[in-house]
Amino acid sequence: MKPSARSLCLTLLSAAALLGGCGGEESPTQQGEGVVVPPAQTEAAGNDLSASAAYCDDVTTWDPAWVQLENDVLTLINQRRAAGATCGGVAKPAVGALTNNDKLRCAARKHSKDMGTNNFFSHTGSNGSTPWQRMTSAGYSYRRAAENIAAGYGTAQAVVDGWMASTGHCNNIMDGALKETGIGYFNAPSSTYRAYWTQDFGTP
């Protein structure tokens, strides 16, 4: 089934697909789509999470088909950034390409795997972790960071189109102050939405 609907801040469910995100300051509060932190790192790793190489061990080896999907999303997003876009009726100028960061990719893969394995959809991990804690646990230090998530989209093109059609997610993608990214795709056939996506953004 082709994804046909999006969710807003509180993750309203559609029959086919979901996009998720709420914005905030400090510890995020619900303000809109997409999750962004202010331009200063405000949260250290918590909830028994700490930065270590071992944190990423279970997502270092990844299905080659999933890696290709992740790479395809990055290519498509950089094409959108280069062309400029309109997010929620507001024109956004062209911005520079995002570069892949392995630590952000680790954080993104960890969260997509968590959502698929535990059959949920949220920026909050099954252990209570926030996006910022997961990035820190993966060893990424940021001055600015953001996260987009989605579920139920079967192709790279579909998930990018879904994010670009959603104001907050589009704003994250078109934010020129964000310089690096990591994309994580996980397929869980027995879960509700099967395909789970996370894109973490950062500026070191």
Side-chain angles (χ1 to χ4, degrees), residues 111-138:
H111 190 54
S112 292
K113 181 179 180 180
D114 186 20
M115 289 192 292
T117 301
N118 293 296
N119 198 21
F120 73 97
F121 184 77
S122 173
H123 287 283
T124 302
S126 62
N127 64 349
S129 64
T130 67
W132 338 122
Q133 289 169 335
R134 292 188 293 272
M135 293 177 200
T136 301
S137 293

PDB file of all heavy atoms in Angstrom, residues 111-138:
ATOM      1  N   HIS A 111      17.769   3.957  16.799  1.00  0.00           N
ATOM      2  CA  HIS A 111      16.377   4.310  17.087  1.00  0.00           C
ATOM      3  C   HIS A 111      15.418   3.604  16.132  1.00  0.00           C
ATOM      4  O   HIS A 111      14.365   3.114  16.562  1.00  0.00           O
ATOM      5  CB  HIS A 111      16.183   5.815  17.025  1.00  0.00           C
ATOM      6  CG  HIS A 111      14.848   6.232  17.554  1.00  0.00           C
ATOM      7  ND1 HIS A 111      14.394   5.865  18.809  1.00  0.00           N
ATOM      8  CD2 HIS A 111      13.843   6.960  16.992  1.00  0.00           C
ATOM      9  CE1 HIS A 111      13.188   6.356  19.008  1.00  0.00           C
ATOM     10  NE2 HIS A 111      12.822   7.017  17.915  1.00  0.00           N
ATOM     11  N   SER A 112      15.767   3.517  14.849  1.00  0.00           N
ATOM     12  CA  SER A 112      14.897   2.795  13.917  1.00  0.00           C
ATOM     13  C   SER A 112      14.782   1.324  14.308  1.00  0.00           C
ATOM     14  O   SER A 112      13.697   0.740  14.261  1.00  0.00           O
ATOM     15  CB  SER A 112      15.433   2.926  12.489  1.00  0.00           C
ATOM     16  OG  SER A 112      15.321   4.252  12.031  1.00  0.00           O
ATOM     17  N   LYS A 113      15.890   0.721  14.721  1.00  0.00           N
ATOM     18  CA  LYS A 113      15.866  -0.668  15.167  1.00  0.00           C
ATOM     19  C   LYS A 113      15.002  -0.825  16.415  1.00  0.00           C
ATOM     20  O   LYS A 113      14.216  -1.785  16.518  1.00  0.00           O
ATOM     21  CB  LYS A 113      17.290  -1.154  15.448  1.00  0.00           C
ATOM     22  CG  LYS A 113      17.368  -2.607  15.899  1.00  0.00           C
ATOM     23  CD  LYS A 113      18.811  -3.039  16.141  1.00  0.00           C
ATOM     24  CE  LYS A 113      18.872  -4.491  16.597  1.00  0.00           C
ATOM     25  NZ  LYS A 113      20.267  -4.931  16.839  1.00  0.00           N
ATOM     26  N   ASP A 114      15.123   0.103  17.333  1.00  0.00           N
ATOM     27  CA  ASP A 114      14.329   0.074  18.563  1.00  0.00           C
ATOM     28  C   ASP A 114      12.838   0.154  18.225  1.00  0.00           C
ATOM     29  O   ASP A 114      12.030  -0.634  18.737  1.00  0.00           O
ATOM     30  CB  ASP A 114      14.752   1.243  19.458  1.00  0.00           C
ATOM     31  CG  ASP A 114      14.105   1.227  20.831  1.00  0.00           C
ATOM     32  OD1 ASP A 114      13.625   0.173  21.282  1.00  0.00           O
ATOM     33  OD2 ASP A 114      14.091   2.301  21.467  1.00  0.00           O
ATOM     34  N   MET A 115      12.471   1.100  17.353  1.00  0.00           N
ATOM     35  CA  MET A 115      11.048   1.242  16.995  1.00  0.00           C
ATOM     36  C   MET A 115      10.523  -0.017  16.324  1.00  0.00           C
ATOM     37  O   MET A 115       9.422  -0.500  16.645  1.00  0.00           O
ATOM     38  CB  MET A 115      10.854   2.456  16.077  1.00  0.00           C
ATOM     39  CG  MET A 115      11.021   3.789  16.769  1.00  0.00           C
ATOM     40  SD  MET A 115      10.463   5.206  15.763  1.00  0.00           S
ATOM     41  CE  MET A 115      11.697   5.203  14.442  1.00  0.00           C
ATOM     42  N   GLY A 116      11.292  -0.572  15.387  1.00  0.00           N
ATOM     43  CA  GLY A 116      10.827  -1.755  14.681  1.00  0.00           C
ATOM     44  C   GLY A 116      10.770  -2.989  15.557  1.00  0.00           C
ATOM     45  O   GLY A 116       9.789  -3.738  15.542  1.00  0.00           O
ATOM     46  N   THR A 117      11.805  -3.187  16.344  1.00  0.00           N
ATOM     47  CA  THR A 117      11.880  -4.373  17.202  1.00  0.00           C
ATOM     48  C   THR A 117      10.814  -4.350  18.288  1.00  0.00           C
ATOM     49  O   THR A 117      10.210  -5.374  18.618  1.00  0.00           O
ATOM     50  CB  THR A 117      13.277  -4.471  17.852  1.00  0.00           C
ATOM     51  OG1 THR A 117      14.264  -4.542  16.816  1.00  0.00           O
ATOM     52  CG2 THR A 117      13.389  -5.681  18.750  1.00  0.00           C
ATOM     53  N   ASN A 118      10.561  -3.164  18.841  1.00  0.00           N
ATOM     54  CA  ASN A 118       9.611  -3.034  19.952  1.00  0.00           C
ATOM     55  C   ASN A 118       8.250  -2.510  19.520  1.00  0.00           C
ATOM     56  O   ASN A 118       7.383  -2.250  20.362  1.00  0.00           O
ATOM     57  CB  ASN A 118      10.220  -2.146  21.041  1.00  0.00           C
ATOM     58  CG  ASN A 118      11.420  -2.803  21.696  1.00  0.00           C
ATOM     59  OD1 ASN A 118      11.294  -3.844  22.328  1.00  0.00           O
ATOM     60  ND2 ASN A 118      12.602  -2.217  21.515  1.00  0.00           N
ATOM     61  N   ASN A 119       8.059  -2.346  18.212  1.00  0.00           N
ATOM     62  CA  ASN A 119       6.765  -2.017  17.618  1.00  0.00           C
ATOM     63  C   ASN A 119       6.127  -0.771  18.236  1.00  0.00           C
ATOM     64  O   ASN A 119       5.030  -0.807  18.774  1.00  0.00           O
ATOM     65  CB  ASN A 119       5.806  -3.210  17.708  1.00  0.00           C
ATOM     66  CG  ASN A 119       4.646  -3.071  16.740  1.00  0.00           C
ATOM     67  OD1 ASN A 119       4.717  -2.338  15.769  1.00  0.00           O
ATOM     68  ND2 ASN A 119       3.567  -3.792  17.022  1.00  0.00           N
ATOM     69  N   PHE A 120       6.847   0.358  18.126  1.00  0.00           N
ATOM     70  CA  PHE A 120       6.293   1.641  18.577  1.00  0.00           C
ATOM     71  C   PHE A 120       6.777   2.725  17.644  1.00  0.00           C
ATOM     72  O   PHE A 120       7.639   2.500  16.788  1.00  0.00           O
ATOM     73  CB  PHE A 120       6.714   1.946  20.023  1.00  0.00           C
ATOM     74  CG  PHE A 120       8.164   2.343  20.177  1.00  0.00           C
ATOM     75  CD1 PHE A 120       8.533   3.683  20.246  1.00  0.00           C
ATOM     76  CD2 PHE A 120       9.171   1.375  20.263  1.00  0.00           C
ATOM     77  CE1 PHE A 120       9.870   4.054  20.388  1.00  0.00           C
ATOM     78  CE2 PHE A 120      10.500   1.741  20.406  1.00  0.00           C
ATOM     79  CZ  PHE A 120      10.859   3.082  20.466  1.00  0.00           C
ATOM     80  N   PHE A 121       6.224   3.919  17.789  1.00  0.00           N
ATOM     81  CA  PHE A 121       6.612   5.042  16.947  1.00  0.00           C
ATOM     82  C   PHE A 121       6.642   6.297  17.789  1.00  0.00           C
ATOM     83  O   PHE A 121       5.616   6.810  18.199  1.00  0.00           O
ATOM     84  CB  PHE A 121       5.632   5.210  15.787  1.00  0.00           C
ATOM     85  CG  PHE A 121       6.036   6.292  14.820  1.00  0.00           C
ATOM     86  CD1 PHE A 121       7.043   6.071  13.907  1.00  0.00           C
ATOM     87  CD2 PHE A 121       5.417   7.528  14.851  1.00  0.00           C
ATOM     88  CE1 PHE A 121       7.418   7.060  13.018  1.00  0.00           C
ATOM     89  CE2 PHE A 121       5.788   8.532  13.970  1.00  0.00           C
ATOM     90  CZ  PHE A 121       6.787   8.298  13.051  1.00  0.00           C
ATOM     91  N   SER A 122       7.852   6.771  18.082  1.00  0.00           N
ATOM     92  CA  SER A 122       8.010   7.934  18.944  1.00  0.00           C
ATOM     93  C   SER A 122       9.456   8.396  18.878  1.00  0.00           C
ATOM     94  O   SER A 122      10.357   7.595  18.595  1.00  0.00           O
ATOM     95  CB  SER A 122       7.662   7.582  20.396  1.00  0.00           C
ATOM     96  OG  SER A 122       7.970   8.645  21.273  1.00  0.00           O
ATOM     97  N   HIS A 123       9.702   9.676  19.177  1.00  0.00           N
ATOM     98  CA  HIS A 123      11.074  10.140  19.342  1.00  0.00           C
ATOM     99  C   HIS A 123      11.681   9.647  20.654  1.00  0.00           C
ATOM    100  O   HIS A 123      12.890   9.649  20.813  1.00  0.00           O
ATOM    101  CB  HIS A 123      11.126  11.667  19.307  1.00  0.00           C
ATOM    102  CG  HIS A 123      10.907  12.237  17.941  1.00  0.00           C
ATOM    103  ND1 HIS A 123      11.879  12.249  16.970  1.00  0.00           N
ATOM    104  CD2 HIS A 123       9.816  12.795  17.381  1.00  0.00           C
ATOM    105  CE1 HIS A 123      11.394  12.813  15.870  1.00  0.00           C
ATOM    106  NE2 HIS A 123      10.145  13.148  16.096  1.00  0.00           N
ATOM    107  N   THR A 124      10.844   9.232  21.595  1.00  0.00           N
ATOM    108  CA  THR A 124      11.319   8.700  22.869  1.00  0.00           C
ATOM    109  C   THR A 124      11.585   7.209  22.713  1.00  0.00           C
ATOM    110  O   THR A 124      10.698   6.452  22.294  1.00  0.00           O
ATOM    111  CB  THR A 124      10.285   8.925  23.979  1.00  0.00           C
ATOM    112  OG1 THR A 124      10.011  10.327  24.087  1.00  0.00           O
ATOM    113  CG2 THR A 124      10.797   8.406  25.315  1.00  0.00           C
ATOM    114  N   GLY A 125      12.795   6.780  23.012  1.00  0.00           N
ATOM    115  CA  GLY A 125      13.150   5.380  22.874  1.00  0.00           C
ATOM    116  C   GLY A 125      12.454   4.494  23.882  1.00  0.00           C
ATOM    117  O   GLY A 125      11.888   4.961  24.875  1.00  0.00           O
ATOM    118  N   SER A 126      12.526   3.187  23.677  1.00  0.00           N
ATOM    119  CA  SER A 126      11.877   2.238  24.586  1.00  0.00           C
ATOM    120  C   SER A 126      12.479   2.292  25.983  1.00  0.00           C
ATOM    121  O   SER A 126      11.847   1.876  26.954  1.00  0.00           O
ATOM    122  CB  SER A 126      11.961   0.816  24.025  1.00  0.00           C
ATOM    123  OG  SER A 126      13.319   0.411  23.909  1.00  0.00           O
ATOM    124  N   ASN A 127      13.704   2.823  26.106  1.00  0.00           N
ATOM    125  CA  ASN A 127      14.350   2.979  27.412  1.00  0.00           C
ATOM    126  C   ASN A 127      14.205   4.395  27.948  1.00  0.00           C
ATOM    127  O   ASN A 127      14.849   4.775  28.926  1.00  0.00           O
ATOM    128  CB  ASN A 127      15.834   2.609  27.327  1.00  0.00           C
ATOM    129  CG  ASN A 127      16.607   3.545  26.403  1.00  0.00           C
ATOM    130  OD1 ASN A 127      16.024   4.349  25.669  1.00  0.00           O
ATOM    131  ND2 ASN A 127      17.927   3.438  26.428  1.00  0.00           N
ATOM    132  N   GLY A 128      13.363   5.208  27.303  1.00  0.00           N
ATOM    133  CA  GLY A 128      13.145   6.581  27.746  1.00  0.00           C
ATOM    134  C   GLY A 128      14.115   7.596  27.167  1.00  0.00           C
ATOM    135  O   GLY A 128      14.071   8.773  27.518  1.00  0.00           O
ATOM    136  N   SER A 129      14.990   7.169  26.265  1.00  0.00           N
ATOM    137  CA  SER A 129      16.003   8.065  25.728  1.00  0.00           C
ATOM    138  C   SER A 129      15.406   9.110  24.794  1.00  0.00           C
ATOM    139  O   SER A 129      14.422   8.867  24.101  1.00  0.00           O
ATOM    140  CB  SER A 129      17.072   7.264  24.972  1.00  0.00           C
ATOM    141  OG  SER A 129      16.501   6.616  23.838  1.00  0.00           O
ATOM    142  N   THR A 130      16.032  10.290  24.774  1.00  0.00           N
ATOM    143  CA  THR A 130      15.682  11.344  23.832  1.00  0.00           C
ATOM    144  C   THR A 130      16.619  11.258  22.629  1.00  0.00           C
ATOM    145  O   THR A 130      17.673  10.604  22.695  1.00  0.00           O
ATOM    146  CB  THR A 130      15.836  12.731  24.481  1.00  0.00           C
ATOM    147  OG1 THR A 130      17.233  12.963  24.729  1.00  0.00           O
ATOM    148  CG2 THR A 130      15.041  12.839  25.772  1.00  0.00           C
ATOM    149  N   PRO A 131      16.297  11.952  21.531  1.00  0.00           N
ATOM    150  CA  PRO A 131      17.231  11.975  20.406  1.00  0.00           C
ATOM    151  C   PRO A 131      18.616  12.466  20.808  1.00  0.00           C
ATOM    152  O   PRO A 131      19.635  11.936  20.357  1.00  0.00           O
ATOM    153  CB  PRO A 131      16.571  12.940  19.418  1.00  0.00           C
ATOM    154  CG  PRO A 131      15.109  12.855  19.723  1.00  0.00           C
ATOM    155  CD  PRO A 131      15.041  12.661  21.205  1.00  0.00           C
ATOM    156  N   TRP A 132      18.658  13.476  21.671  1.00  0.00           N
ATOM    157  CA  TRP A 132      19.926  14.092  22.058  1.00  0.00           C
ATOM    158  C   TRP A 132      20.764  13.141  22.897  1.00  0.00           C
ATOM    159  O   TRP A 132      21.982  13.093  22.763  1.00  0.00           O
ATOM    160  CB  TRP A 132      19.657  15.400  22.797  1.00  0.00           C
ATOM    161  CG  TRP A 132      18.304  15.961  22.467  1.00  0.00           C
ATOM    162  CD1 TRP A 132      17.291  16.253  23.328  1.00  0.00           C
ATOM    163  CD2 TRP A 132      17.795  16.288  21.152  1.00  0.00           C
ATOM    164  NE1 TRP A 132      16.192  16.712  22.636  1.00  0.00           N
ATOM    165  CE2 TRP A 132      16.472  16.748  21.313  1.00  0.00           C
ATOM    166  CE3 TRP A 132      18.336  16.210  19.872  1.00  0.00           C
ATOM    167  CZ2 TRP A 132      15.677  17.155  20.233  1.00  0.00           C
ATOM    168  CZ3 TRP A 132      17.549  16.600  18.794  1.00  0.00           C
ATOM    169  CH2 TRP A 132      16.242  17.076  18.973  1.00  0.00           C
ATOM    170  N   GLN A 133      20.120  12.358  23.736  1.00  0.00           N
ATOM    171  CA  GLN A 133      20.835  11.353  24.520  1.00  0.00           C
ATOM    172  C   GLN A 133      21.400  10.261  23.615  1.00  0.00           C
ATOM    173  O   GLN A 133      22.523   9.803  23.818  1.00  0.00           O
ATOM    174  CB  GLN A 133      19.904  10.751  25.577  1.00  0.00           C
ATOM    175  CG  GLN A 133      19.577  11.727  26.695  1.00  0.00           C
ATOM    176  CD  GLN A 133      18.461  11.225  27.593  1.00  0.00           C
ATOM    177  OE1 GLN A 133      17.626  10.421  27.186  1.00  0.00           O
ATOM    178  NE2 GLN A 133      18.431  11.712  28.821  1.00  0.00           N
ATOM    179  N   ARG A 134      20.629   9.859  22.599  1.00  0.00           N
ATOM    180  CA  ARG A 134      21.122   8.820  21.692  1.00  0.00           C
ATOM    181  C   ARG A 134      22.326   9.334  20.890  1.00  0.00           C
ATOM    182  O   ARG A 134      23.290   8.600  20.672  1.00  0.00           O
ATOM    183  CB  ARG A 134      19.999   8.356  20.762  1.00  0.00           C
ATOM    184  CG  ARG A 134      18.894   7.590  21.493  1.00  0.00           C
ATOM    185  CD  ARG A 134      17.902   6.977  20.540  1.00  0.00           C
ATOM    186  NE  ARG A 134      17.096   7.936  19.799  1.00  0.00           N
ATOM    187  CZ  ARG A 134      15.945   8.437  20.224  1.00  0.00           C
ATOM    188  NH1 ARG A 134      15.449   8.083  21.412  1.00  0.00           N
ATOM    189  NH2 ARG A 134      15.266   9.283  19.467  1.00  0.00           N
ATOM    190  N   MET A 135      22.266  10.586  20.446  1.00  0.00           N
ATOM    191  CA  MET A 135      23.402  11.153  19.719  1.00  0.00           C
ATOM    192  C   MET A 135      24.647  11.206  20.599  1.00  0.00           C
ATOM    193  O   MET A 135      25.745  10.855  20.172  1.00  0.00           O
ATOM    194  CB  MET A 135      23.048  12.550  19.200  1.00  0.00           C
ATOM    195  CG  MET A 135      21.988  12.566  18.128  1.00  0.00           C
ATOM    196  SD  MET A 135      21.592  14.277  17.636  1.00  0.00           S
ATOM    197  CE  MET A 135      19.978  14.036  16.885  1.00  0.00           C
ATOM    198  N   THR A 136      24.456  11.648  21.829  1.00  0.00           N
ATOM    199  CA  THR A 136      25.569  11.724  22.765  1.00  0.00           C
ATOM    200  C   THR A 136      26.127  10.332  23.066  1.00  0.00           C
ATOM    201  O   THR A 136      27.343  10.130  23.125  1.00  0.00           O
ATOM    202  CB  THR A 136      25.127  12.409  24.066  1.00  0.00           C
ATOM    203  OG1 THR A 136      24.655  13.721  23.769  1.00  0.00           O
ATOM    204  CG2 THR A 136      26.268  12.510  25.062  1.00  0.00           C
ATOM    205  N   SER A 137      25.243   9.361  23.213  1.00  0.00           N
ATOM    206  CA  SER A 137      25.679   7.989  23.489  1.00  0.00           C
ATOM    207  C   SER A 137      26.470   7.408  22.333  1.00  0.00           C
ATOM    208  O   SER A 137      27.346   6.565  22.529  1.00  0.00           O
ATOM    209  CB  SER A 137      24.471   7.103  23.789  1.00  0.00           C
ATOM    210  OG  SER A 137      23.866   7.496  25.001  1.00  0.00           O
ATOM    211  N   ALA A 138      26.168   7.864  21.124  1.00  0.00           N
ATOM    212  CA  ALA A 138      26.913   7.417  19.952  1.00  0.00           C
ATOM    213  C   ALA A 138      28.243   8.147  19.814  1.00  0.00           C
ATOM    214  O   ALA A 138      29.023   7.850  18.906  1.00  0.00           O
ATOM    215  CB  ALA A 138      26.077   7.622  18.691  1.00  0.00           C
TER     216      ALA A 138
END
